[in-house]
Amino acid sequence: MKTFPMFLRMDGRRVVICGGGEEAARKARLVLKTSAEIVVLADRLDPELAALVASGRARQAAENGAETFANTALTFIATGCAARDRRLAGMARAAGAVVNVIDRPDLCDAFTPSIVDRDPVVVAIGTEGAAPVLGRAIKTEVEAMLSPRLGGFAALAGRLRDAVAERIPRAQRRGFWEWAFTGEAFRAHLDGRERAAAEMLKAAIAEGRAPAARGHIALVGAGPGARDLLTLRAVQRMQQADVIFYDRLVDPEVLELARRDADRVDVGKEVGACAWPQDRIDRLIVAEALRGRRVVRLKSGDPSVFGRASEEIAAAEAAGIEVEVVPGITAASAAAARLRRPLTERGETDSFVLTTGTCRPGDAAPDLGALARPGTAIAVYMGVARAAEIEAELRAAGMPAACPVDIVASVSTAREGHASATLGTMSETIRRAGLTHPAILFIRYPKSLAAEEARAVA
Ligand code: SAH
């Protein structure tokens, strides 16, 4: 490390920005977040700086000998004149200020990091100038990870520190804070229930200890495979989970997002081959939650699409356990994105149907023939192995052989495959392209095709 990160005290101190242009304004924008007094040393100000001075938040000043950098914690220098920059840097340094000269690393005592601001929680990212663009990319990732409400909660905890020190015995204090920053109050605050969160914290302080953990079950959509197709909420739940039950279709890449010490259980559900019967899964997730653990039931795609979510929700509710559903990107949406072809197209397909090619043994298969209507787009899940029957059934119901079809397998994973066909060649195309489970059959009956067929008949 050629530089060492520290946080500078700003309260009651001054930041002097030398220069009145765009660069100076950019630094002023950063300093504005602090409690420092801002002094702009320049004759002419760009409109943003002028507005800042007019608002009273910053003061414009002229050079004034030794006074110029009195009580200055930090100075940014960008006058546009190299000689003046150098002279001001020397003066500021002599007055004890930390110096940053824009675009002159050789004249800098310190460099500005990329900042993620959840005041009072602040994350600073530096690359020692080696890769500023990487620094900003990391900032973007951290921004996504940290709730905008995090700072509010940290500030609340800060206000309660004395009360905690007074009421919670020293031996239990660490456990208390762990609960405070991961438990129910924390989650309530992040969900926007700030008052409830404060009340929970205060009740626990009055009680003298953190409450016993309450179990919770989240049915979380893992999306089609790629790890950046999860929602932020899904990632958050995986980070909070004590145990994760996942289906075979969930990509290993996605499991990497789980908290490192969470237990992971492969319940190995696949179409037609249930390693674990559903009622066993229901019992297990409930039993874990009843032990006070946070359970994530991780399902491929969206939990609400062919995910047997209702059974798990019912089991949780029957046991009085709080249950939550976190939506995910369903395979059909991911397939549409992959194809760059929308699921609905104005004037051509204005109804979109999700259906399945495989049902529970003993259940009647869905009546696909009823869907064979002009203007309908159909995404068939769990259908690739039954493509020939599906094709025959739709054809028998009058759907033209020329209807366009796309077959998209393992979308958004390394094994992704795709083929275009028509309804008449669908099963043959799948066979020839070697496409296998999991795949979406995306079958469309455009209105224009129906009109053409009608003309041909007439
Ligand atoms: N809940 C899931 C669907 C589960 S049923 C969702 O919303 O996507 C399993 C079926 O989903 C598979 O047979 C296949 O049709 C589809 N599927 C799941 N992941 C897929 C993927 N990555 N690519 C294509 N189809 C997929």
Side-chain angles (χ1 to χ4, degrees):
M1 260 195 260
K2 288 204 227 47
T3 61
F4 188 79
M6 291 284 280
F7 290 91
L8 294 179
R9 187 182 290 280
M10 287 284 143
D11 228 15
R13 303 209 63 194
R14 186 178 286 171
V15 174
V16 179
I17 295 173
C18 306
E22 172 59 30
E23 283 295 350
R26 203 170 297 162
K27 295 303 182 197
R29 231 174 277 153
L30 280 181
V31 179
L32 216 48
K33 296 170 184 273
T34 74
S35 51
E37 177 197 1
I38 304 175
V39 176
V40 187
L41 203 72
D43 303 333
R44 297 240 301 271
L45 301 183
D46 104 329
E48 185 178 347
L49 287 172
L52 206 58
V53 168
S55 76
R57 176 65 183 88
R59 176 164 66 79
Q60 187 174 12
E63 238 181 88
N64 182 17
E67 269 305 290
T68 312
F69 293 103
N71 189 34
T72 300
L74 173 65
T75 183
F76 293 103
I77 303 180
T79 65
C81 164
R84 183 152 190 243
D85 280 359
R86 179 185 296 277
R87 191 172 55 75
L88 286 168
M91 274 171 73
R93 196 168 289 123
V98 173
V99 173
N100 179 281
V101 184
I102 283 56
D103 289 336
R104 286 297 305 271
D106 55 314
L107 294 180
C108 288
D109 298 323
F111 304 93
T112 328
S114 292
I115 294 170
V116 180
D117 174 18
R118 301 287 186 276
D119 182 44
V121 179
V122 177
V123 183
I125 301 143
T127 63
E128 297 193 343
V133 174
L134 174 65
R136 278 193 289 276
I138 295 170
K139 167 191 155 80
T140 307
E141 280 193 38
V142 179
E143 287 281 3
M145 270 167 56
L146 301 183
S147 158
R149 296 203 178 94
L150 185 69
F153 191 80
L156 169 65
R159 289 194 296 278
L160 293 173
R161 276 203 96 75
D162 288 346
V164 170
E166 201 172 295
R167 303 284 315 229
I168 312 275
R170 183 179 288 276
Q172 275 136 53
R173 226 169 274 159
R174 192 190 154 81
F176 175 86
W177 284 119
E178 263 168 21
W179 167 76
F181 287 115
T182 56
E184 256 184 300
F186 184 61
R187 289 192 300 273
H189 186 100
L190 296 196
D191 288 345
R193 291 178 290 125
E194 293 167 18
R195 182 173 304 182
E199 275 161 16
M200 280 182 227
L201 281 183
K202 286 176 193 165
I205 294 170
E207 223 9 65
R209 62 188 155 86
R214 282 224 338 241
H216 174 272
I217 297 175
L219 309 187
V220 175
R227 64 184 239 142
D228 56 352
L229 286 180
L230 264 78
T231 63
L232 296 176
R233 192 177 300 176
V235 175
Q236 222 165 51
R237 292 301 174 268
M238 288 178 68
Q239 287 283 319
Q240 294 161 346
D242 297 309
V243 53
I244 298 180
F245 292 87
Y246 63 96
D247 288 346
R248 185 146 306 153
L249 267 184
V250 170
D251 210 83
E253 188 177 301
V254 167
L255 278 176
E256 305 262 301
L257 295 167
R259 202 164 61 110
R260 208 180 290 268
D261 49 358
D263 295 334
R264 292 142 209 241
V265 186
D266 174 1
V267 299
K269 252 167 44 131
E270 277 217 58
V271 187
C274 284
W276 285 43
Q278 184 63 43
D279 59 346
R280 181 163 172 221
I281 299 176
D282 297 348
R283 267 192 316 230
L284 242 128
I285 58 176
V286 165
E288 288 288 337
L290 286 174
R291 287 175 54 204
R293 302 186 87 195
R294 300 190 57 80
V295 178
V296 160
R297 176 71 180 93
L298 190 63
K299 292 162 170 290
S300 77
D302 184 282
S304 309
V305 176
F306 304 121
R308 304 190 65 170
S310 52
E311 290 150 74
E312 292 168 10
I313 293 169
E317 283 175 346
I321 293 160
E322 197 191 326
V323 59
E324 174 193 18
V325 180
V326 179
I329 293 180
T330 191
S333 294
R338 160 66 180 77
L339 297 168
R340 274 172 265 119
R341 171 176 284 288
L343 296 173
T344 61
E345 282 179 271
R346 195 167 57 151
E348 286 289 16
T349 48
D350 36 29
S351 297
F352 168 58
V353 180
L354 303 179
T355 188
T356 174
T358 308
C359 285
R360 211 162 35 173
D363 280 359
D367 178 7
L368 292 181
L371 307 175
R373 306 209 92 78
T376 306
I378 310 172
V380 185
Y381 287 66
M382 296 175 273
V384 70
R386 290 194 56 250
E389 287 109 300
I390 292 166
E391 180 181 319
E393 194 178 341
L394 290 171
R395 292 284 293 117
M399 203 158 162
C403 280
V405 172
D406 283 280
I407 308 101
V408 192
S410 297
V411 61
S412 90
T413 74
R415 302 168 302 283
E416 183 174 278
H418 162 242
S420 290
T422 60
L423 183 58
T425 62
M426 178 168 78
S427 57
E428 176 58 18
T429 305
I430 291 172
R431 199 182 55 72
R432 255 194 281 127
L435 295 173
T436 54
H437 168 82
I440 290 289
L441 312 178
F442 186 37
I443 306 168
R444 300 179 299 283
Y445 190 173
K447 286 183 183 167
S448 59
L449 181 67
E452 248 170 63
E453 298 263 323
R455 272 197 303 277
V457 171

